[in-house]
């Protein structure tokens, strides 16, 4: 008993003990600096957000009024724009998956088939993704402008003049216009990921398919597509998670307008917290975003893990 | 045994080395942090812009020459929003800037209520200040008889017009000293449309441009006190009163006529500016800040200003202008005493007559102080703006600046809804009244007793 005690004490007070301690805890100690930053800049703000979501406050007042779950009931029962923003997130995720993935896969197969020009083509469609999204948003804002923009000029030139309209200045088309820009940016990424996956497939599979007499379309349907299944699942989940953190493009292009028709949860959060000076309500929105994305990330991890171990 | 000892020695040496490094780092840090303390630092925060930044730099140089123990640190912000966020973080961190710009109104009031703003009543009651700073200009920064900021310049809202387009469409230009009626206004809109000219450019995405119309119509309809009384919950006043709804319908009337450019609800300030500057739109309801950019890009632009029209059955004073003090300077409350003393002195310094005149020259904006600026320093249109402002019997501060931020957002969002046709003027009136009631329950309203 006494020996045991002295051993524990000696651990801290003799150099040898200290060294043993350092040795045994090396992993933890090496992770410590990163951990400190994670706690300071991730976990602490997160806890603060949960805490703030229970208050009514205006950033500068000394009085924070505890309101319980009022912010949450207001959000789900009285805040039409919040519900609309949730719908817009779902639409954004849905259309991203439905449009970007098929086009990305198609482009990837084309690029891999015509390798000589494919490389250049690939670089061009990937370019929007590496440009700053604020710059992209500003460019597209002007392109959609009904007086100076090139989108309407193009539509008229190809005989689709009846489609010409003030894209961002119409509550029925603003969201569609934003989706157009989103797809323009991210199709390059989807294509790139598909190309990388397809390249990792041994060419012998395709060769034997050809020897067995499969047509191009059959080859795509029976071999390429099944091999891309996992990638597609991952892409869908990335699209969903991405929709929840989507902000800059919409804020620059429409600020959630016209008439609140293009808000997503993050822009509505920003408007509540920093425009209307209601950090409590903004935090409450943040909490819901956190919970939704947390669930999705859990699904993502579970899905990919079960696939990998199978 | 010897191996164990040598490793013990090594460990000891390592610990000693670590201790030395830590101590050395501490000494260096001490040295680094103590050096700037030799000078008294005055942080001066504003959303400067190029012309006013030049003025600030001149003030800094002159003041530092006279006071070698002081360093003025000019901090520049790109937008109001950035300023607000950083300012609130600085307050939360307990390190507010000594001297900062404010618009006054609801936001300054919330800082005052939080105990973050120095009471400048004594400074503003000094003899020079009583002579130089008209008491009416203190309205936006005075609560409970205490003054919290020094006003510098004004903005006023007019229709900026393109004379050439008026002539081309055959629309007579109502001189700035006269009024014109709602019917004449609608006639003008029709004529511009017939001539293929956009009658009015507006950046509806930023919403405050739309608010200009609503505020003008309300003041023309119900008089200057309507808003101040209603938002401050004077008995018998409500946002559901008839004129608030009627103002929404008058605004909707010109929207439905197509007075604004196609897709205006999604257009930014820059897009509206392009339409006006390139001669596609005849009118733009704005403040004198547009002139700097206009002269820089189109020096020969046929620019002029006209009044906002009167409205049928309106009880408001037609000389009333939308406008307010645009830049005030205030001092933070929670700063060291020696810094505060210098901040007071610095405010007195920048208010010296020659410095205020220099401000007017560089910023090209009408002053909120009683200092005569030689008119040759101003462009002809700006002289017109200043004359018009001096004739105005009332300046209506913008609602979104006067009100608490929560109300401001509801006002702007619901008005944007009216413009888009998704909200009725009745719904807008109700939304504003509901928010005002909530803020009154929370003790945020009234901002002042009326």
């Amino acid at each position: 008993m006494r020996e045991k005690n002295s051993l524990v004490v000696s651990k801290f007070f003799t150099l040898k003990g200290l060294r043993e301690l350092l040795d045994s805890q090396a992993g933890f100690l090496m992770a410590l600096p990163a951990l400190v930053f994670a706690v300071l800049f991730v976990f602490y703000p997160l806890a603060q957000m949960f805490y703030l979501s229970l208050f009514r406050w205006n950033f500068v007042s000394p009085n924070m009024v505890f309101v319980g779950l009022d912010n949450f009931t207001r959000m789900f029962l009285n805040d039409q724009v919040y519900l609309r923003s949730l719908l817009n997130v779902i639409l954004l995720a849905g259309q991203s998956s439905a449009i970007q993935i098929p086009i990305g896969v198609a482009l990837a197969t084309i690029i891999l088939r015509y390798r000589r020009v494919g490389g250049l083509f690939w670089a061009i469609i990937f370019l929007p993704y590496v440009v700053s999204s604020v710059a992209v948003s500003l460019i597209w804002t002007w392109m959609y402008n009904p007086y100076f923009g090139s989108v309407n000029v193009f539509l008229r030139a190809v005989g689709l003049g009846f489609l010409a309209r003030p894209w961002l200045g119409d509550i029925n088309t603003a969201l569609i216009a934003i989706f157009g820009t989103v797809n323009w940016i991210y199709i390059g990424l989807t294509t790139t990921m598909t190309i990388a996956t397809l390249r990792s497939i041994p060419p012998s599979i395709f060769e034997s398919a050809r020897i067995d007499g499969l047509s191009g379309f059959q080859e795509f349907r029976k071999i390429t597509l099944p091999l891309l299944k996992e990638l597609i699942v991952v892409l869908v989940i990335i699209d969903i998670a991405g929709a929840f953190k989507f902000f800059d493009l919409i804020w620059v292009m429409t600020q959630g307008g016209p008439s609140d028709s293009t808000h997503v949860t993050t822009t509505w959060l920003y408007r509540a917290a920093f425009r209307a000076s209601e950090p409590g309500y903004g935090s409450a929105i943040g909490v819901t975003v956190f919970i939704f994305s947390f669930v999705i990330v859990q699904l993502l991890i579970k899905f990919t893990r079960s696939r990998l171990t199978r | 045994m010897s191996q164990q000892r040598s490793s013990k020695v090594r460990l000891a040496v390592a610990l000693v080395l670590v201790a030395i490094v830590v101590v050395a780092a501490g000494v260096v840090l001490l040295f680094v942090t103590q050096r700037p303390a030799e000078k008294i630092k005055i942080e001066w925060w504003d959303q400067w812009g190029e012309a006013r930044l030049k003025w600030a730099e001149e003030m800094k140089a002159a003041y530092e020459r006279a006071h070698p123990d002081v360093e003025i640190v000019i901090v520049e912000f790109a937008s109001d929003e950035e300023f607000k966020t950083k300012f609130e973080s600085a307050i939360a961190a307990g390190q507010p800037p000594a001297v900062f710009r404010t618009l006054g109104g609801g936001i300054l009031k919330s800082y005052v209520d939080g105990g973050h703003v120095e009471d400048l009543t004594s400074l503003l009651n000094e003899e020079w200040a009583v002579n130089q700073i008209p008491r009416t200009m203190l309205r936006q920064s005075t609560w409970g008889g205490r003054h919290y900021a020094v006003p510098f310049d004004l903005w006023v809202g007019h229709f900026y017009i393109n004379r050439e387009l008026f002539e081309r469409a055959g629309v007579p230009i109502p001189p700035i000293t006269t009024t014109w009626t709602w019917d004449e206004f609608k006639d003008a809109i029709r004529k511009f449309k017939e001539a293929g000219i956009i009658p009015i450019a507006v950046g509806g995405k930023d919403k405050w441009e739309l608010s200009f119309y609503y505020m003008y119509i309300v003041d023309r309809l119900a008089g200057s006190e309507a808003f101040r009384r209603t938002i401050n919950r004077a008995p018998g006043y409500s946002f559901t009163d008839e004129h608030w709804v009627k103002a929404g319908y008058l605004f909707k009337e010109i929207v439905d006529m197509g007075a604004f450019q196609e897709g205006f609800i999604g257009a930014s300030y820059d897009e509206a500016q392009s339409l006006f500057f390139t001669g596609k739109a005849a009118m733009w309801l704005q403040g004198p800040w547009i002139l700097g950019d206009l002269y820089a890009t189109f020096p020969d632009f046929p620019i002029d200003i006209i009044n906002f029209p009167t409205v049928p059955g309106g009880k408001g004073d037609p000389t009333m202008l939308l406008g307010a003090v645009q830049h005030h300077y205030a001092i933070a409350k929670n700063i060291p005493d020696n810094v505060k003393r210098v901040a007071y002195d610095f405010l007195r310094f920048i208010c010296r007559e020659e410095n205020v005149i220099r401000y007017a020259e560089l910023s090209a904006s009408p002053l909120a102080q009683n200092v005569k600026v030689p008119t040759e320093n101003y462009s002809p249109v700006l002289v017109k703006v200043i004359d018009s402002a001096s004739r105005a019997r009332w300046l209506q501060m913008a609602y979104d600046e006067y009100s608490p931020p929560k109300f401001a957002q509801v006002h702007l969002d619901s008005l944007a809804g009216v413009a888009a046709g998704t909200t009725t003027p009745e719904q807008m009136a109700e939304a504003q009244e509901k928010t005002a009631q909530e803020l009154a329950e929370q003790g945020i309203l009234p901002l002042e007793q009326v």
Side-chain angles (χ1 to χ4, degrees):
Chain A
M1 190 66 198
R2 216 177 72 191
E3 233 185 327
K4 212 174 173 185
N5 259 339
S6 73
L7 193 76
V8 172
V9 173
S10 75
K11 248 191 164 171
F12 293 98
F13 290 108
T14 69
L15 287 172
K16 186 174 170 235
L18 186 65
R19 200 178 66 219
E20 271 170 12
L21 189 75
L22 288 175
D23 279 350
S24 65
Q25 301 298 320
F28 174 74
L29 286 172
M30 281 184 226
L32 193 63
L35 213 59
V36 166
F37 279 98
V39 168
L40 258 173
F41 295 110
V42 178
F43 296 109
Y44 172 72
L46 201 62
Q48 188 77 14
M49 177 180 79
F50 274 86
Y51 176 74
L52 266 180
S53 72
L54 305 174
F55 288 86
R56 193 177 62 224
W57 187 45
N58 72 348
F59 277 116
V60 288
S61 164
N63 320 313
M64 289 171 70
V65 184
F66 182 79
V67 294
L69 295 175
D70 274 10
N71 285 332
F72 293 94
T73 50
R74 173 180 153 198
M75 198 185 314
F76 287 105
L77 299 180
N78 290 321
D79 192 343
Q80 294 298 319
V81 184
Y82 174 73
L83 299 176
R84 171 79 210 234
S85 75
L86 272 184
L87 174 69
N88 285 349
V89 168
I90 294 167
L91 289 175
L92 177 62
Q95 77 87 32
S96 295
S97 306
I99 293 175
Q100 289 166 21
I101 296 172
I103 294 182
V105 170
L107 289 175
T109 11
I110 292 169
I111 286 168
L112 286 177
R113 175 150 304 175
Y114 306 99
R115 276 167 199 270
R116 208 171 287 166
V117 284
L120 179 68
F121 185 62
W122 180 15
I124 290 170
I125 58 169
F126 190 62
L127 193 65
Y129 183 74
V130 294
V131 177
S132 138
S133 62
V134 171
V136 167
S137 316
L138 285 173
I139 292 167
W140 276 86
T141 305
W142 283 103
M143 283 169 61
Y144 282 130
N145 181 296
Y147 294 94
F148 307 100
S150 51
V151 171
N152 284 347
V153 172
F154 171 78
L155 287 173
R156 288 195 187 99
V158 297
L160 292 170
F162 65 94
L163 281 176
R165 65 195 66 229
W167 290 94
L168 293 173
D170 183 331
I171 48 172
N172 299 314
T173 56
L175 197 63
I176 296 169
I178 285 174
F179 289 165
T181 309
V182 171
N183 294 336
W184 182 77
I185 296 173
Y186 288 98
I187 279 175
L189 181 70
T190 316
T191 310
T192 304
M193 288 176 77
T194 315
I195 289 174
T197 312
L198 288 178
R199 275 189 177 163
S200 69
I201 299 170
S204 54
I205 296 181
F206 293 104
E207 276 158 26
S208 51
R210 245 161 263 157
I211 291 165
D212 287 346
L214 257 65
S215 72
F217 177 71
Q218 277 175 323
E219 181 191 305
F220 177 78
R221 212 172 64 88
K222 302 266 182 192
I223 299 176
T224 315
L225 214 52
L227 286 169
L228 285 177
K229 216 153 108 192
E230 281 174 27
L231 174 75
I232 289 169
V233 169
V234 171
L235 283 175
V236 167
I237 295 170
I238 287 176
D239 281 340
I240 296 169
F244 270 106
K245 69 183 183 86
F246 206 66
F247 176 80
D248 40 10
L249 190 127
I250 291 180
W251 192 254
V252 175
M253 286 178 77
T254 64
Q255 290 190 8
S259 196
D260 297 328
S261 59
T262 59
H263 270 298
V264 286
T265 45
T266 48
T267 54
W268 189 237
L269 182 162
Y270 182 82
R271 182 258 181 215
F274 298 107
R275 282 276 168 99
S277 286
E278 292 189 291
Y281 191 58
S283 299
I285 297 174
V287 167
T288 64
V289 172
F290 173 77
I291 290 170
F292 291 139
S293 1
F294 187 77
V295 169
I296 289 161
V297 170
Q298 288 310 308
L299 285 178
L300 168 79
I301 291 169
K302 209 176 150 201
F303 216 100
T304 46
R305 192 172 288 157
S306 70
R307 299 234 144 204
L308 285 174
T309 50
R310 196 187 51 190
Chain B
M1 185 67 200
S2 79
Q3 205 179 19
Q4 205 176 32
R5 182 178 293 162
S6 79
S7 72
K8 243 183 206 175
V9 170
R10 246 186 289 157
L11 194 65
V13 169
L15 281 175
V16 169
L17 277 176
V18 167
I20 289 171
V21 169
V22 168
V23 170
V27 170
V28 169
L29 252 164
L30 210 67
F31 187 65
V32 168
T33 51
Q34 268 199 343
R35 268 184 63 147
E38 289 164 11
K39 281 194 175 183
I40 298 174
K41 256 192 190 168
I42 300 288
E43 285 203 14
W44 193 15
W45 285 23
D46 198 338
Q47 185 198 328
W48 291 106
E50 210 173 308
R52 294 174 59 255
L53 186 61
K54 185 154 185 277
W55 175 75
E57 273 158 3
E58 288 181 14
M59 294 301 109
K60 168 188 159 80
Y63 193 81
E64 284 176 353
R65 243 195 330 275
H67 305 82
D69 58 328
V70 175
E71 188 187 350
I72 308 286
V73 183
I74 296 170
V75 183
E76 151 115 65
F77 294 90
S79 69
D80 258 347
E81 207 137 16
E82 189 199 351
F83 182 94
K84 228 177 95 184
T85 317
K86 295 264 168 66
F87 186 79
E88 281 161 7
S89 316
I91 283 180
Q95 292 178 322
V99 180
F100 60 94
R101 175 262 173 124
T102 169
L103 281 162
I107 292 175
L108 181 64
K109 176 74 171 10
S110 71
Y111 299 158
V112 168
D113 287 346
H116 305 297
V117 186
E118 176 76 1
D119 181 343
L120 295 182
T121 313
S122 65
L123 178 85
L124 283 156
N125 282 336
E126 288 169 13
E127 203 190 327
W128 66 269
V130 173
N131 293 331
Q132 191 176 320
I133 298 169
R135 300 293 108 169
T136 49
M137 293 298 165
L138 296 175
R139 249 183 20 213
Q140 278 161 250
S141 54
T142 298
W143 294 280
R146 314 302 296 174
H147 307 309
Y148 292 94
V150 180
F152 253 76
D153 61 0
L154 292 171
W155 72 274
V156 281
H158 287 103
F159 267 124
Y160 285 79
I161 63 160
N162 184 327
R163 291 189 71 98
E164 217 173 275
L165 294 184
F166 268 68
E167 278 156 32
R168 198 194 303 166
V171 178
I173 298 173
I176 185 69
T177 47
T178 63
T179 59
W180 57 323
T181 65
W182 192 252
D183 282 335
E184 286 167 336
F185 178 53
K186 285 195 292 183
D187 265 351
I189 292 171
R190 268 183 226 108
K191 279 186 186 154
F192 282 124
K193 284 188 74 73
E194 281 162 20
I197 297 164
I198 299 164
I200 308 171
V202 66
K205 181 168 89 179
D206 299 323
K207 296 172 187 165
W208 55 265
E209 285 195 53
L210 301 174
S211 177
F212 279 13
Y213 292 86
Y214 187 74
M215 293 187 285
Y216 253 130
I217 295 171
V218 168
D219 272 61
R220 293 282 190 263
L221 269 177
S224 310
E225 286 290 323
F227 176 68
R228 211 163 68 96
R229 295 242 162 97
T230 313
I231 184 115
N232 286 311
R233 311 280 81 199
Y237 287 82
S238 160
F239 281 107
T240 51
D241 291 345
E242 197 203 339
H243 47 264
W244 295 101
V245 179
K246 198 177 168 201
Y249 277 106
L250 285 171
F251 174 64
K252 210 169 145 37
E253 189 181 0
I254 54 169
V255 169
D256 293 343
M257 281 179 75
F260 304 113
Q261 81 271 21
E262 210 188 338
F264 71 94
I265 48 175
S268 65
Y269 174 90
D270 290 336
E271 291 174 86
Q273 174 178 284
S274 293
L275 287 176
F276 184 71
F277 281 11
T278 58
K280 287 190 164 66
M283 297 184 262
W284 192 25
L285 185 52
Q286 277 296 341
W289 52 74
I290 69 155
L291 293 172
D293 279 341
L294 179 69
Y295 287 129
T297 35
F298 300 93
D300 303 322
F301 194 92
I303 188 82
D304 205 345
I305 55 167
I306 61 174
N307 284 312
F308 195 84
T310 58
V311 297
K315 295 194 294 264
D317 181 343
T319 69
M320 161 271 162
L321 288 178
L322 200 59
V325 176
Q326 198 182 1
H327 297 95
H328 298 82
Y329 290 107
I331 295 178
K333 193 171 183 181
N334 306 311
I335 50 176
D337 281 342
N338 60 336
V339 176
K340 201 181 274 182
R341 261 196 307 280
V342 177
Y344 267 85
D345 190 55
F346 184 64
L347 273 192
R348 287 188 198 101
F349 173 77
I350 59 174
C351 285
R352 282 190 199 164
E353 197 168 310
E354 69 271 21
N355 291 339
V356 175
I357 291 176
R358 188 73 186 130
Y359 180 92
E361 280 170 6
L362 283 170
S363 71
S365 49
L367 289 176
Q369 300 193 5
N370 237 335
V371 173
K372 262 270 164 276
V373 182
T375 48
E376 62 264 31
N377 294 343
Y378 284 139
S379 70
V381 176
L382 196 60
V383 173
K384 265 189 167 180
V385 171
I386 293 165
D387 286 348
S388 166
S390 64
R391 276 194 304 274
R393 274 188 286 273
W394 173 265
L395 290 183
Q396 173 64 56
M397 188 179 180
Y399 296 179
D400 59 337
E401 289 174 355
Y402 179 89
S403 324
K406 173 85 191 286
F407 183 87
Q409 284 310 311
V410 171
H411 162 71
L412 294 173
D413 289 354
S414 52
L415 183 62
V418 171
T422 54
T423 307
T424 65
E426 284 87 356
Q427 286 168 334
M428 175 183 178
E430 274 157 30
Q432 295 192 138
E433 178 62 21
K434 189 169 151 257
T435 309
Q437 279 174 11
E438 278 171 17
L439 291 172
E441 276 162 29
Q442 295 166 18
I444 294 169
L445 287 175
L447 297 168
E448 55 182 322
Q449 295 304 319
V450 287

